[in-house]
Amino acid sequence: MSIAHFRRTTAEALLADGTTVVIRPLGPEDREAVLDLHANRMSDESRRLRFFGVSRNAPRLAADRLCGEQGERLLSLGAWAGDELIGEADCEIPEDRPQTGELALVVADRWQRRGAATLLLEHLIHAARGRGVRVFEADTLAGNRGVHKVFAGLGLPVHRRLDRGEIRVRVPLDESDEHYRAAVDERGRRADVASLGALLRPGSVAVVGVSRRAGSVGRTVLAKIRQGGFPGPAMAVNPRAGSIDGEPVYPSVGALPAVPDLAVLAVPAPAVAGVAEECGRAGVRALVVLASGLGAEDSRRLVHACREHSMRLVGPNSLGIAQTDPAVRLDAEFGGAFPLPGTAGVAVQSGGVGIALLKRLAWLGIGVSSFVSLGDKYDVSGNDLLQWWEGDGRTDLALLHLESFGGPRAFARTARRVTRRLPVLTVDAGRSAAGRRGAASHTAAAATPTVVREALFRQAGITATRSIGELVDTAALLHAQPLPDPRGAVAVVSNAGGIGILAADALADAGLILPELSGELEELLPEGASARNPVDTTAAVGPAELARLLEKVELSRAVDALLVCLVPTALATDPAHDPVRALLDGPARRRIPVAAVLPDQEVPVRHLTCADGNRLPVYSDTVAAARALAHARDRARWLAEPVSEDAEAPGCDLRTARSLVAGFLTANPAGGWLDPVGTADLLESHGLPLTTSVWARDERTAVIAARAMRRLGHEGAVALKAYWPGQVHKSAAGAVRTGLRTESEVRSAYREFEESFGAELAGAVVQPMAAPGVELLAGVVQDRVFGPLVLLGMGGTATEVLDDRVARLAPLTERDLTTMVADLRGAPLLSGYPGAPAVDLPAVRSVLARLSRLAADVPELVEADLNPVIARPDGAVCVDARVRLEPRPSYDPYLRRLRRPAAAEEG
Ligand code: ADP
Ligand code: MG
């Protein structure tokens, strides 16, 4: 097996108890281990169930069978914990039934009931699907409860047939089984949370690299852990042992009196890998690495040590972690003050952002449940923290600062689930090209273009803000106030007309609506006041009048949120007249969310406590308040939408598509663009509406094709498009002739092609002219990190000028289909406006759904560009398509495996 192949098929994943195991195909070098597993590490009972009776030769036969060269007919995977083979799963594909895998499964006795069998099966299912296997079959003894439990819990339908004490089990491996995916996700979540326990709820901690120097990082962290009230042992390690502050310092991790759950590595970068290995050997379960600037080899060793010894890793380049749970009280960071206990989960990639965020939250009085400075994210990422907060029973608001995404699809899936339960806010860092440059050098991770990030946030229901300020402003509202109705109608009440107008503008800019309010309010107001929206009470408003007015607006049902803008006036020097006093003397919790703007306030945002004991977010600027309200409205909309199923694309022919792709890649091992015929065949396999396109190798064929089109009832003109391999933009090269009405026009167009392109010309495509409509572009691109994205935009010849496009990560949901169309700036061109009918939107959505399906079915599809798709009231048709294929391993976004950080990949 080539090294490249080996690396592709080796995965690290978590067992149900959080142990890391390596899963990889078995080969001849594993023979001893397989023999040992079958002969020595299974009880007689397990062996009887496995081999239907105890035969002395069985283990040897198994080892021979599993560890030969892996041919086409056998798939065998082993799971390893360190050097120990803990289990094996294999399937044989009978020659006469290439869609069936005969399944067998073994887990060493002492590793049973920890999810190893299920994990092995998931990986085997993935590998088998890649080989075209559609169903697993297995013979089991009726008494083999363990195996039946594994099957039953898998999430796939299981059919059983009893035959003389044996049960024949059949498991169909349906690709699009949402039930299975949900089951895999849930197992992943549990395993992840189990593995994070040692990090976020450790019973004991060691700080490695505690120097005598006061103010050194190691010594600071140790002091903070001890002062923070951590109830377990907090031990110190330094090769020059002795004692500091009267507490012992041990010379090595191995010399500690007890094995710590968590080790904080405060050693310099070159020492990190060695210490990590020592921790692994000692049995430490989690590491936080503070150093930055690890070399490539040290990075690899660090990650390897963590995977080999089952340790979760935060960092490197981390500021540390903090857990405020009263039962843990762990302050293992050197950034700032131990955060107040509370309900906000905070994870940041940059330590500096972390310090700023914690300070500002503390200032608002928002407490923190746990804080993790992720640093370079070699292992633990935002995704892990979301899963932790989802179930920690304390967190009700998640704040993330992310510069890069390691496993964006897993993240998107987790976030989509978590955002249903609690708001997930992020600072979208690296939006600009310059920002991305900074992020790439800063975190050594792939920075991502804007459309892709937007797609991710949109699809996952994440609240994406543009600055730390906006994040804090939004958190202030979401933490203290209920969500508005999704409609997002706001009433502005101000005692200074000018501020009210600014607020109205800011709300409108943020996409909120200000309905005109009824005249009824007028009678509550002083002379000269305006009761429309914005409501201008004038400076003469008295506290009682203001209170009555607010109550009336609250109960009017005309609006879903209330923004109160107040400036102190000369009249208010009399406290009895102070409008702010009047606001605070009322309730902060009303039927609808309330925010206030006090433009003379010195800080950007704070919480004020009202008479009912609840908190009111108070901003100094109308724009900040408006943005926060808009985010709250967007979140309400997200929650109001039903959880969406994957988009349906009936009648896709996977088999034809796959054999076409296999054929092309055999002939072109490096990949490339499909020719017009191949393009048409592939798109048609998935029901994409390519217009009739006839391939003509010469002038005569082109003329006959045009004639045939007319005979078949096409009355209009035809288009003729020259083709040669490697062509890029046909129109620009003069390779498109449209509106050809007669045979002689077709003939002379072809001759002109021959003259212009000479020997390069391979032939031409003849198409009927499509009736005019709205020209769209639709397509798929593979992002290196995000996987396939489906694009929709305004297309045709003005594509670049309009630059109006939206993207979503595949697979698309039904909801994505609708929001993609709606999110285009040119959406009114599609949904109809006075004088123009709406186009056939279901036909446009169907193109998107089919592209999504094609991207999933054909991972080798690196680029598909349908431009234009001409959308009309009676349908949508594509007249130009380009498709590029490249060999790539099939990628299953639902396969459970730990991320491999780029920094730790082999060179
Ligand atoms: P390219 O994009 O490579 O320049 P196209 O095949 O997209 O070439 O042709 C350019 C433009 O010509 C299209 O955007 C469309 O406006 C028009 N066109 C091409 N083929 C047809 C057709 N069959 N029916 C109607 N219009 C067409
Ligand atoms: Mg085109």
Side-chain angles (χ1 to χ4, degrees), residues 582-718:
L583 180 66
L584 298 182
D585 282 345
R589 275 272 167 174
R590 294 176 185 262
R591 196 185 59 80
I592 53 177
V594 196
V597 172
L598 303 182
D600 65 327
Q601 168 175 301
E602 276 168 26
V603 291
V605 61
R606 60 180 163 154
H607 275 153
L608 291 179
T609 305
C610 288
D612 62 351
N614 289 308
R615 288 165 308 148
L616 181 72
V618 183
Y619 303 86
S620 63
D621 190 35
T622 50
V623 173
R627 285 214 190 106
L629 282 167
H631 284 307
R633 188 268 325 263
D634 290 346
R635 172 153 178 77
R637 287 196 174 161
W638 165 254
L639 292 178
E641 282 165 8
V643 180
S644 190
E645 306 270 296
D646 274 0
E648 295 227 17
C652 290
D653 183 354
L654 173 76
R655 214 158 255 275
T656 302
R658 291 232 50 91
S659 78
L660 219 143
V661 170
F664 177 80
L665 289 175
T666 309
N668 307 271
W673 294 97
L674 286 179
D675 65 15
V677 176
T679 303
D681 286 347
L682 184 63
L683 297 182
E684 275 161 15
S685 75
H686 278 60
L688 285 154
L690 194 66
T691 194
T692 309
S693 302
V694 179
W695 171 239
R697 214 177 276 283
D698 51 32
E699 177 192 318
R700 197 170 142 263
T701 321
V703 169
I704 293 172
R707 193 183 300 153
M709 280 173 195
R710 199 148 300 137
R711 284 230 191 86
L712 289 170
H714 172 68
E715 295 184 353
V718 300

Side-chain angles (χ1 to χ4, degrees), residues 120 148 217 228 234 355 369 548 762 776 808:
L120 273 164
H148 290 290
V217 169
I355 295 174
S369 57
R548 264 203 309 281
L776 300 171
R808 296 285 187 271

Side-chain angles (χ1 to χ4, degrees), residues 710 716-720 737-742 745-747 749 769:
R710 199 148 300 137
V718 300
L720 192 70
R737 296 278 192 286
T738 53
L740 307 176
R741 307 217 136 259
T742 63
E745 279 178 20
V746 173
R747 186 164 284 134
M769 282 299 287

Side-chain angles (χ1 to χ4, degrees), residues 493 495 521-529 535-553 566 571 576-579 582-583 590:
V493 174
N495 69 343
L521 297 173
E522 214 123 286
E523 60 205 45
L524 297 174
L525 290 170
E527 193 78 10
V535 179
D536 176 9
T537 64
T538 75
V541 72
E545 281 168 304
L546 184 65
R548 264 203 309 281
L549 179 76
L550 295 180
E551 195 181 348
K552 191 108 187 181
V553 175
L566 298 174
L571 291 173
H577 245 96
D578 183 357
L583 180 66
R590 294 176 185 262

